[in-house]
Amino acid sequence: MASTCLRVSQGLIPSFRGIVRRKYLSANSVGAVRNVSTSADEKAAPPPAELSENERKLSSEIESLSKDVETFKEKISDLDDKYKRSLADTENMRKRLTKQIEDAKLFGIQGFCKDLLTVSDILQKATECVPAEELKTNSPLKNLYEGLTMTEAELQKVFKRHGLVPVSPLGEKFNPNHHEALFEQPVEGKEPGTVIAVTKIGYKLHERIVRPAMVGVAK
């Protein structure tokens, strides 16, 4: 029995050794095949293909379009700035024209007013020259005087209605923009530069001096 088992085991050992050897060789062969296949794939992998003619044209067109876009952006920015400046200039011009129209409405009669001031001065002098005693005894002269006084008063009302007001700066500080000094003289109790006499009343039209007042100034 023992000898029989020994013979069987001796017969199996070579077979077992053959199976192990075949599996080992098979595993090595698969690894070698894989390595060879990988190396072959790496060697067979083609290099990156160069751009085709159409791709090069497309790339060139994209670059050209990008440059055009930047150029157009600069032009748009420049035109936008010019547009805003034009709007600002138009608005400033509109304001200037509106101001000129308003001034024309207010001061369009300035020349006419200057001419009427001469008439007003003549009427004032005419009434001032009439002696008060003569008015008591001379009826025709009194009637004439009253007519001149009424005419002068009505003329002043017309002046005021149109914004023309008198400037009589007696006792005020001399203002070279509103007054014209005819003479200077020392006056006791008056500060230098004070208007001490008004020889001709001035006038202003809507705060604009039409005629400066003729004055004497203390020094």
Side-chain angles (χ1 to χ4, degrees):
M1 182 68 179
S3 61
T4 302
C5 292
L6 179 61
R7 283 195 301 269
V8 172
S9 62
Q10 287 177 351
L12 291 173
I13 289 172
S15 299
F16 180 74
R17 287 177 178 174
I19 292 170
V20 172
R21 186 170 182 275
R22 284 195 298 272
K23 288 184 176 181
Y24 176 75
L25 291 174
S26 177
N28 288 339
S29 298
V30 172
V33 170
R34 288 178 178 174
N35 291 335
V36 170
S37 176
T38 303
S39 300
D41 291 340
E42 291 177 355
K43 291 180 180 179
E50 295 183 358
L51 296 175
S52 65
E53 184 67 22
N54 290 336
E55 290 175 338
R56 285 197 296 270
K57 288 182 179 180
L58 182 60
S59 177
S60 176
E61 289 179 359
I62 290 173
E63 291 180 0
S64 177
L65 289 174
S66 298
K67 292 180 181 178
D68 291 341
V69 168
E70 293 299 325
T71 302
F72 286 131
K73 284 182 178 180
E74 293 178 359
K75 289 182 178 180
I76 289 172
S77 177
D78 182 58
L79 290 174
D80 183 63
D81 181 66
K82 289 180 179 179
Y83 173 71
K84 291 179 180 178
R85 290 177 181 273
S86 177
L87 284 180
D89 292 341
T90 303
E91 181 63 18
N92 292 335
M93 182 178 293
R94 186 190 67 80
K95 290 180 180 179
R96 286 197 300 269
L97 290 176
T98 302
K99 183 66 167 58
Q100 291 175 2
I101 291 171
E102 291 177 353
D103 289 347
K105 290 179 180 179
L106 292 175
F107 306 111
I109 60 173
Q110 182 171 332
F112 182 65
C113 289
K114 285 184 177 180
D115 293 338
L116 285 181
L117 290 179
T118 304
V119 178
S120 177
D121 292 338
I122 293 173
L123 288 173
Q124 184 179 3
K125 288 187 178 298
T127 55
E128 289 175 352
C129 292
V130 177
E133 294 79 8
E134 293 291 334
L135 296 176
K136 296 177 182 180
T137 58
N138 192 333
S139 180
L141 181 60
K142 182 181 179 181
N143 292 335
L144 179 60
Y145 174 82
E146 288 177 352
L148 292 175
T149 304
M150 292 174 62
T151 303
E152 182 184 4
E154 189 62 29
L155 189 58
Q156 291 297 326
K157 289 180 182 179
V158 172
F159 287 168
K160 186 176 181 180
R161 190 181 308 132
H162 291 280
L164 186 66
V165 295
V167 177
S168 183
L170 185 64
E172 298 178 3
K173 198 72 175 176
F174 176 76
N175 185 346
N177 295 320
H178 296 171
H179 313 144
E180 183 176 341
L182 298 180
F183 61 89
E184 287 184 318
Q185 69 180 32
V187 178
E188 186 177 352
K190 295 290 185 181
E191 294 183 2
T194 302
V195 176
I196 57 174
V198 179
T199 60
K200 182 181 286 188
I201 294 176
Y203 283 88
K204 58 182 179 180
L205 179 63
H206 299 293
E207 302 304 322
R208 177 186 290 183
I209 293 297
V210 175
R211 185 180 75 183
M214 306 296 180
V215 299
V217 183
K219 68 174 181 178

PDB file of all heavy atoms in Angstrom, residues 127 130 134-151:
ATOM      1  N   THR A 127     -40.651 172.433 -15.221  1.00  0.00           N
ATOM      2  CA  THR A 127     -41.485 172.613 -14.020  1.00  0.00           C
ATOM      3  C   THR A 127     -40.687 173.239 -12.875  1.00  0.00           C
ATOM      4  O   THR A 127     -41.237 173.999 -12.065  1.00  0.00           O
ATOM      5  CB  THR A 127     -42.057 171.264 -13.571  1.00  0.00           C
ATOM      6  OG1 THR A 127     -40.984 170.317 -13.379  1.00  0.00           O
ATOM      7  CG2 THR A 127     -43.023 170.713 -14.608  1.00  0.00           C
ATOM      8  N   VAL A 130     -40.402 177.268 -13.015  1.00  0.00           N
ATOM      9  CA  VAL A 130     -41.588 178.123 -12.816  1.00  0.00           C
ATOM     10  C   VAL A 130     -41.581 178.632 -11.374  1.00  0.00           C
ATOM     11  O   VAL A 130     -41.576 177.836 -10.435  1.00  0.00           O
ATOM     12  CB  VAL A 130     -42.885 177.349 -13.105  1.00  0.00           C
ATOM     13  CG1 VAL A 130     -44.101 178.225 -12.820  1.00  0.00           C
ATOM     14  CG2 VAL A 130     -42.892 176.848 -14.541  1.00  0.00           C
ATOM     15  N   GLU A 134     -45.481 183.117  -9.147  1.00  0.00           N
ATOM     16  CA  GLU A 134     -46.203 183.346 -10.403  1.00  0.00           C
ATOM     17  C   GLU A 134     -47.423 182.433 -10.532  1.00  0.00           C
ATOM     18  O   GLU A 134     -48.425 182.802 -11.149  1.00  0.00           O
ATOM     19  CB  GLU A 134     -45.264 183.107 -11.589  1.00  0.00           C
ATOM     20  CG  GLU A 134     -44.156 184.101 -11.717  1.00  0.00           C
ATOM     21  CD  GLU A 134     -44.671 185.479 -12.123  1.00  0.00           C
ATOM     22  OE1 GLU A 134     -45.745 185.557 -12.757  1.00  0.00           O
ATOM     23  OE2 GLU A 134     -44.008 186.465 -11.790  1.00  0.00           O
ATOM     24  N   LEU A 135     -47.315 181.243  -9.945  1.00  0.00           N
ATOM     25  CA  LEU A 135     -48.446 180.323 -10.036  1.00  0.00           C
ATOM     26  C   LEU A 135     -49.673 180.823  -9.282  1.00  0.00           C
ATOM     27  O   LEU A 135     -50.800 180.475  -9.624  1.00  0.00           O
ATOM     28  CB  LEU A 135     -48.025 178.938  -9.473  1.00  0.00           C
ATOM     29  CG  LEU A 135     -46.917 178.210 -10.238  1.00  0.00           C
ATOM     30  CD1 LEU A 135     -46.547 176.912  -9.523  1.00  0.00           C
ATOM     31  CD2 LEU A 135     -47.340 177.922 -11.670  1.00  0.00           C
ATOM     32  N   LYS A 136     -49.433 181.666  -8.284  1.00  0.00           N
ATOM     33  CA  LYS A 136     -50.551 182.173  -7.489  1.00  0.00           C
ATOM     34  C   LYS A 136     -51.312 183.279  -8.219  1.00  0.00           C
ATOM     35  O   LYS A 136     -52.518 183.438  -8.028  1.00  0.00           O
ATOM     36  CB  LYS A 136     -50.053 182.704  -6.163  1.00  0.00           C
ATOM     37  CG  LYS A 136     -49.434 181.613  -5.282  1.00  0.00           C
ATOM     38  CD  LYS A 136     -48.875 182.203  -4.000  1.00  0.00           C
ATOM     39  CE  LYS A 136     -48.210 181.135  -3.126  1.00  0.00           C
ATOM     40  NZ  LYS A 136     -47.656 181.703  -1.865  1.00  0.00           N
ATOM     41  N   THR A 137     -50.610 184.019  -9.047  1.00  0.00           N
ATOM     42  CA  THR A 137     -51.227 185.197  -9.693  1.00  0.00           C
ATOM     43  C   THR A 137     -51.493 184.995 -11.177  1.00  0.00           C
ATOM     44  O   THR A 137     -52.341 185.671 -11.759  1.00  0.00           O
ATOM     45  CB  THR A 137     -50.308 186.421  -9.513  1.00  0.00           C
ATOM     46  OG1 THR A 137     -49.025 186.141 -10.082  1.00  0.00           O
ATOM     47  CG2 THR A 137     -50.162 186.758  -8.040  1.00  0.00           C
ATOM     48  N   ASN A 138     -50.767 184.079 -11.825  1.00  0.00           N
ATOM     49  CA  ASN A 138     -50.876 183.889 -13.278  1.00  0.00           C
ATOM     50  C   ASN A 138     -51.614 182.569 -13.545  1.00  0.00           C
ATOM     51  O   ASN A 138     -51.050 181.481 -13.452  1.00  0.00           O
ATOM     52  CB  ASN A 138     -49.484 183.865 -13.904  1.00  0.00           C
ATOM     53  CG  ASN A 138     -49.529 183.974 -15.418  1.00  0.00           C
ATOM     54  OD1 ASN A 138     -50.517 183.587 -16.044  1.00  0.00           O
ATOM     55  ND2 ASN A 138     -48.466 184.502 -15.994  1.00  0.00           N
ATOM     56  N   SER A 139     -52.869 182.699 -13.885  1.00  0.00           N
ATOM     57  CA  SER A 139     -53.701 181.506 -14.098  1.00  0.00           C
ATOM     58  C   SER A 139     -53.276 180.697 -15.315  1.00  0.00           C
ATOM     59  O   SER A 139     -53.189 179.451 -15.247  1.00  0.00           O
ATOM     60  CB  SER A 139     -55.163 181.922 -14.222  1.00  0.00           C
ATOM     61  OG  SER A 139     -55.981 180.794 -14.423  1.00  0.00           O
ATOM     62  N   PRO A 140     -53.006 181.349 -16.490  1.00  0.00           N
ATOM     63  CA  PRO A 140     -52.556 180.558 -17.641  1.00  0.00           C
ATOM     64  C   PRO A 140     -51.255 179.793 -17.355  1.00  0.00           C
ATOM     65  O   PRO A 140     -51.096 178.639 -17.758  1.00  0.00           O
ATOM     66  CB  PRO A 140     -52.365 181.601 -18.733  1.00  0.00           C
ATOM     67  CG  PRO A 140     -53.271 182.707 -18.356  1.00  0.00           C
ATOM     68  CD  PRO A 140     -53.206 182.757 -16.867  1.00  0.00           C
ATOM     69  N   LEU A 141     -50.323 180.464 -16.666  1.00  0.00           N
ATOM     70  CA  LEU A 141     -49.067 179.798 -16.335  1.00  0.00           C
ATOM     71  C   LEU A 141     -49.308 178.624 -15.384  1.00  0.00           C
ATOM     72  O   LEU A 141     -48.670 177.563 -15.507  1.00  0.00           O
ATOM     73  CB  LEU A 141     -48.106 180.808 -15.707  1.00  0.00           C
ATOM     74  CG  LEU A 141     -46.725 180.270 -15.325  1.00  0.00           C
ATOM     75  CD1 LEU A 141     -46.001 179.739 -16.558  1.00  0.00           C
ATOM     76  CD2 LEU A 141     -45.889 181.350 -14.643  1.00  0.00           C
ATOM     77  N   LYS A 142     -50.255 178.805 -14.488  1.00  0.00           N
ATOM     78  CA  LYS A 142     -50.578 177.738 -13.554  1.00  0.00           C
ATOM     79  C   LYS A 142     -51.143 176.526 -14.294  1.00  0.00           C
ATOM     80  O   LYS A 142     -50.780 175.364 -13.998  1.00  0.00           O
ATOM     81  CB  LYS A 142     -51.576 178.241 -12.522  1.00  0.00           C
ATOM     82  CG  LYS A 142     -51.937 177.194 -11.481  1.00  0.00           C
ATOM     83  CD  LYS A 142     -52.951 177.739 -10.484  1.00  0.00           C
ATOM     84  CE  LYS A 142     -53.335 176.673  -9.464  1.00  0.00           C
ATOM     85  NZ  LYS A 142     -54.343 177.194  -8.490  1.00  0.00           N
ATOM     86  N   ASN A 143     -51.998 176.786 -15.270  1.00  0.00           N
ATOM     87  CA  ASN A 143     -52.579 175.682 -16.040  1.00  0.00           C
ATOM     88  C   ASN A 143     -51.500 174.943 -16.839  1.00  0.00           C
ATOM     89  O   ASN A 143     -51.495 173.704 -16.929  1.00  0.00           O
ATOM     90  CB  ASN A 143     -53.656 176.207 -16.981  1.00  0.00           C
ATOM     91  CG  ASN A 143     -54.865 176.717 -16.222  1.00  0.00           C
ATOM     92  OD1 ASN A 143     -55.132 176.297 -15.090  1.00  0.00           O
ATOM     93  ND2 ASN A 143     -55.603 177.652 -16.829  1.00  0.00           N
ATOM     94  N   LEU A 144     -50.584 175.749 -17.429  1.00  0.00           N
ATOM     95  CA  LEU A 144     -49.482 175.138 -18.173  1.00  0.00           C
ATOM     96  C   LEU A 144     -48.600 174.306 -17.257  1.00  0.00           C
ATOM     97  O   LEU A 144     -48.187 173.188 -17.602  1.00  0.00           O
ATOM     98  CB  LEU A 144     -48.656 176.238 -18.856  1.00  0.00           C
ATOM     99  CG  LEU A 144     -47.440 175.759 -19.652  1.00  0.00           C
ATOM    100  CD1 LEU A 144     -47.856 174.824 -20.779  1.00  0.00           C
ATOM    101  CD2 LEU A 144     -46.666 176.958 -20.200  1.00  0.00           C
ATOM    102  N   TYR A 145     -48.330 174.841 -16.084  1.00  0.00           N
ATOM    103  CA  TYR A 145     -47.490 174.133 -15.118  1.00  0.00           C
ATOM    104  C   TYR A 145     -48.143 172.816 -14.696  1.00  0.00           C
ATOM    105  O   TYR A 145     -47.473 171.774 -14.621  1.00  0.00           O
ATOM    106  CB  TYR A 145     -47.240 175.028 -13.908  1.00  0.00           C
ATOM    107  CG  TYR A 145     -46.504 174.340 -12.779  1.00  0.00           C
ATOM    108  CD1 TYR A 145     -45.122 174.211 -12.809  1.00  0.00           C
ATOM    109  CD2 TYR A 145     -47.197 173.833 -11.667  1.00  0.00           C
ATOM    110  CE1 TYR A 145     -44.448 173.580 -11.783  1.00  0.00           C
ATOM    111  CE2 TYR A 145     -46.526 173.201 -10.641  1.00  0.00           C
ATOM    112  CZ  TYR A 145     -45.149 173.071 -10.696  1.00  0.00           C
ATOM    113  OH  TYR A 145     -44.475 172.447  -9.673  1.00  0.00           O
ATOM    114  N   GLU A 146     -49.424 172.862 -14.450  1.00  0.00           N
ATOM    115  CA  GLU A 146     -50.116 171.644 -14.033  1.00  0.00           C
ATOM    116  C   GLU A 146     -50.132 170.608 -15.162  1.00  0.00           C
ATOM    117  O   GLU A 146     -49.987 169.392 -14.914  1.00  0.00           O
ATOM    118  CB  GLU A 146     -51.548 171.988 -13.617  1.00  0.00           C
ATOM    119  CG  GLU A 146     -51.615 172.739 -12.306  1.00  0.00           C
ATOM    120  CD  GLU A 146     -53.038 173.135 -11.949  1.00  0.00           C
ATOM    121  OE1 GLU A 146     -53.940 172.947 -12.815  1.00  0.00           O
ATOM    122  OE2 GLU A 146     -53.273 173.633 -10.838  1.00  0.00           O
ATOM    123  N   GLY A 147     -50.259 171.106 -16.407  1.00  0.00           N
ATOM    124  CA  GLY A 147     -50.226 170.183 -17.554  1.00  0.00           C
ATOM    125  C   GLY A 147     -48.865 169.503 -17.682  1.00  0.00           C
ATOM    126  O   GLY A 147     -48.766 168.296 -17.928  1.00  0.00           O
ATOM    127  N   LEU A 148     -47.793 170.305 -17.507  1.00  0.00           N
ATOM    128  CA  LEU A 148     -46.440 169.732 -17.584  1.00  0.00           C
ATOM    129  C   LEU A 148     -46.186 168.741 -16.452  1.00  0.00           C
ATOM    130  O   LEU A 148     -45.569 167.689 -16.645  1.00  0.00           O
ATOM    131  CB  LEU A 148     -45.409 170.860 -17.547  1.00  0.00           C
ATOM    132  CG  LEU A 148     -45.365 171.798 -18.765  1.00  0.00           C
ATOM    133  CD1 LEU A 148     -44.375 172.937 -18.523  1.00  0.00           C
ATOM    134  CD2 LEU A 148     -44.981 171.020 -20.010  1.00  0.00           C
ATOM    135  N   THR A 149     -46.690 169.100 -15.261  1.00  0.00           N
ATOM    136  CA  THR A 149     -46.500 168.202 -14.108  1.00  0.00           C
ATOM    137  C   THR A 149     -47.227 166.878 -14.325  1.00  0.00           C
ATOM    138  O   THR A 149     -46.675 165.799 -14.026  1.00  0.00           O
ATOM    139  CB  THR A 149     -47.017 168.874 -12.834  1.00  0.00           C
ATOM    140  OG1 THR A 149     -46.361 170.133 -12.646  1.00  0.00           O
ATOM    141  CG2 THR A 149     -46.767 168.006 -11.625  1.00  0.00           C
ATOM    142  N   MET A 150     -48.441 166.955 -14.854  1.00  0.00           N
ATOM    143  CA  MET A 150     -49.193 165.732 -15.117  1.00  0.00           C
ATOM    144  C   MET A 150     -48.526 164.885 -16.201  1.00  0.00           C
ATOM    145  O   MET A 150     -48.474 163.649 -16.110  1.00  0.00           O
ATOM    146  CB  MET A 150     -50.618 166.078 -15.527  1.00  0.00           C
ATOM    147  CG  MET A 150     -51.451 166.685 -14.404  1.00  0.00           C
ATOM    148  SD  MET A 150     -53.085 167.249 -14.960  1.00  0.00           S
ATOM    149  CE  MET A 150     -53.786 165.715 -15.512  1.00  0.00           C
ATOM    150  N   THR A 151     -47.983 165.566 -17.212  1.00  0.00           N
ATOM    151  CA  THR A 151     -47.279 164.839 -18.281  1.00  0.00           C
ATOM    152  C   THR A 151     -46.041 164.138 -17.742  1.00  0.00           C
ATOM    153  O   THR A 151     -45.765 162.968 -18.075  1.00  0.00           O
ATOM    154  CB  THR A 151     -46.886 165.808 -19.401  1.00  0.00           C
ATOM    155  OG1 THR A 151     -48.046 166.474 -19.906  1.00  0.00           O
ATOM    156  CG2 THR A 151     -46.201 165.080 -20.533  1.00  0.00           C
TER     157      THR A 151
END
